[in-house]
């Protein structure tokens, strides 16, 4: 089984209170007093205290067209990705040359070559590193990325892989659109990224890994299962319309109902394969898509109070970071050090509408980490 050795969340340095962002965007998005009132009400009810932005807040008044905003997304995204990967590798006691496989997920930075290719020179990765850029999974990309990297490592158990997510949601702002969907999006999505280091079951901790880095290997949760489901008839509930102005949000008020109707059955199917039921789950790692999404998951699964506390905290701290958000929640979950043998469920929702679920198991005597001996233990 693959192991999640380290997670490094990152945020841009431009941070603002939600109320300040609301005041600025009200001036940018509409002159209609009623729509301004609605925008501020939606921002205030989002559950968000602070958001981090790719550029200073005042610059959003003068941003140009899609050429300029996408170029900024690529350059800012590359910087965030570099920071995240360097931090994750350092936490795992690894060097860039140790990486065998690199997967990128983003739905806000479009380029060919993509950010993963640009990372090879920036980080000093080996030129023969295998790469898999992914676009279109949206908020589900972080969860799907974990599952797909796990699939790769199942066939390459001696390898180290890195998943990197970068999202610059603020740069998709549509200044000519005061629709309710755009007003909601303007108050919900933030910018950020994350990197995850994963290792196959045959890959030992490096000889240099000692102290904290060594503990990240011995306590690393294993990916023990995954599930992907598309919900028929829901394609118009979430996504982008791509046009000359860039990426225009598609966001239906019915999305929480879609989640509420399906998520319990999909979680139960994921857990049945592990011989478990929802009551066996000690750690819930749910994408903080917004208050209504978190409430829908809480209600559908009949979760105890506080089960989604990490998700609510991440929502308040940075907003919805699309594919990166669930990886920020994962970082918090791993830092909390679940009890030995704990079962975790990580889940996120994206365009389709689709759900991506990953089952995790923390090591214990009954469920060992499956880590082979390292070089310092006498294995060459």
């Amino acid at each position: 089984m693959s192991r999640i050795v380290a997670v490094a969340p990152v945020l841009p340095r431009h941070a603002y209170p939600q109320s300040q962002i609301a005041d600025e965007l009200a001036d940018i998005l509409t002159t209609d007093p009623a729509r301004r009132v609605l925008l501020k009400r939606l921002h205030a009810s989002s559950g968000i205290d602070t958001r981090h932005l790719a550029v200073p807040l005042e610059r959003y008044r003068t941003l140009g067209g899609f050429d300029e905003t996408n170029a900024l997304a690529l350059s800012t995204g590359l910087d965030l990705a570099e920071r995240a990967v360097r931090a994750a590798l350092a936490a795992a006691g690894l060097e860039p040359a140790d990486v065998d496989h690199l997967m990128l997920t983003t739905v806000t930075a479009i380029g060919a070559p993509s950010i993963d290719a640009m990372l090879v020179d920036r980080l000093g990765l080996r030129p023969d590193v295998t790469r898999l850029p992914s676009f279109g999974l949206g908020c589900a990309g972080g969860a799907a990325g974990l599952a797909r990297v796990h699939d790769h490592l199942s066939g390459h158990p001696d390898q180290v892989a890195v998943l990197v997510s970068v999202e610059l949601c603020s740069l998709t702002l549509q200044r000519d659109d005061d629709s309710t969907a755009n007003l909601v999006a303007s108050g919900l999505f933030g910018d950020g990224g994350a990197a995850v280091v994963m290792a196959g079951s045959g890959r030992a901790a490096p000889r240099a890994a000692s102290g904290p880095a060594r503990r990240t290997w011995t306590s690393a949760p294993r990916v023990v299962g995954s599930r992907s489901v598309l919900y028929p008839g829901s394609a118009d509930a979430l996504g982008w319309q791509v046009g000359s102005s860039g990426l225009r949000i598609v966001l239906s008020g019915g999305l929480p109902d879609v989640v509420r109707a399906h998520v319990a059955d999909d979680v139960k199917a994921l857990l049945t394969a592990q011989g478990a039921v929802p009551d066996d789950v000690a750690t819930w790692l749910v994408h903080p898509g917004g208050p209504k999404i978190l409430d829908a998951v809480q209600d559908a699964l009949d979760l105890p109070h506080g089960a989604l506390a990490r998700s609510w905290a991440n929502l308040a701290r940075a907003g919805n970071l699309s594919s990166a958000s669930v990886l920020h929640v994962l970082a918090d979950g791993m830092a909390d050090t679940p009890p030995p043998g704990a079962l975790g469920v990580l889940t996120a929702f994206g365009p389709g509408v689709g759900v991506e679920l990953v089952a995790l198991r923390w090591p214990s005597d009954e469920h060992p980490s499956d880590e082979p001996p390292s070089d310092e233990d006498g294995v060459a």
Side-chain angles (χ1 to χ4, degrees), residues 298 302-309:
Q298 180 95 27
D302 194 23
L303 298 180
H305 177 74
L308 303 184

Side-chain angles (χ1 to χ4, degrees), residues 282-306:
T283 301
W284 293 96
L285 306 167
V286 177
H287 167 67
K292 291 182 179 180
I293 296 297
L294 291 177
D295 285 343
V297 173
Q298 180 95 27
D299 295 345
L301 293 170
D302 194 23
L303 298 180
H305 177 74

Side-chain angles (χ1 to χ4, degrees), residues 9 16 23 38 40-41 62 69 154 174 184 205 247 264 319 323-324 363 374:
Y16 300 91
D23 289 342
L38 176 60
K40 293 187 178 184
R41 180 171 63 80
T62 58
T69 56
S154 295
Q174 300 290 312
V184 170
L247 305 174
S323 68
S374 69

